[in-house]
Amino acid sequence: DIQMTQSPSSLSASVGDRVTITCRASQKISTYLNWYQHKPGEAPKVLIFAASNVQSGVPSRFSGSGSGTHFTLTISTLKPEDFATYYCQQSYSGPPTFGQGTRLEIK
Amino acid sequence: QLVESGGGLVQPGGSLRLSCAASGFTFSKYNMFWVRQAPGKALQYVSEISYNGGGTYYGNSVKGRFTIFRDNSKNMLYLRMGSLRPEDTAVYHCARRAEYDIWSDGHYMDIWGHGTTVTVSS
């Protein structure tokens, strides 16, 4: 199975900050990379699919980039509702696999 | 939307059946997933079923113990869980598969349920 590794595992930031989360794949996956936001007790929500496509209804402050093995999720200006855990997930081959998550906390 | 049910406390070695009720879309046109999250851990793929139930796929950790199936006439997805282990303790989410590239396998999970909690303990 393809292994997905996110960094950092946790991150403290303030409202208004710009934040970048990194995801690396254990092999090349082209742009078959998705990003999700998950808050405790809620359903996970897709933010970005195919590395850089913003899902309908997702605010424009969220953006994604990358291809091959290196990907990033950027939140341009943090809002209070953005504090959550973020996961990357590959759909290139085999079973879908997720990164270990990045917990974004309020500083 | 998707609404899961059927979770609970079960002893090691026991069985449980989870359900996922779909509404607001043509259920029979979509592949569906089960994804779980153990306490303090990341999201983990459990299983997938094709839109017509003809294809089923499992993660290595549940293969041979869990069975995914669906009833398109009732807009229902199920997960039959057997030989349960403490490490199966998790919140189980159902999710819909969305295709973005029909010529490859490009897909993502666009609709998720809130999940149902399974606890395996004596």
Side-chain angles (χ1 to χ4, degrees), chain A residues 11-21 61 63 72-78 104:
Chain A
L11 176 60
S12 293
S14 302
V15 172
D17 284 354
R18 179 184 179 90
V19 166
T20 297
I21 298 169
R61 63 182 180 274
S63 63
T72 59
L73 172 71
T74 299
I75 310 172
S76 59
T77 306
L78 273 176
L104 179 54

Side-chain angles (χ1 to χ4, degrees), chain A residues 53-73:
Chain A
N53 294 270
V54 181
Q55 174 73 344
S56 175
V58 172
S60 59
R61 63 182 180 274
F62 291 92
S63 63
S65 66
S67 67
T69 63
H70 184 244
F71 303 87
T72 59
L73 172 71

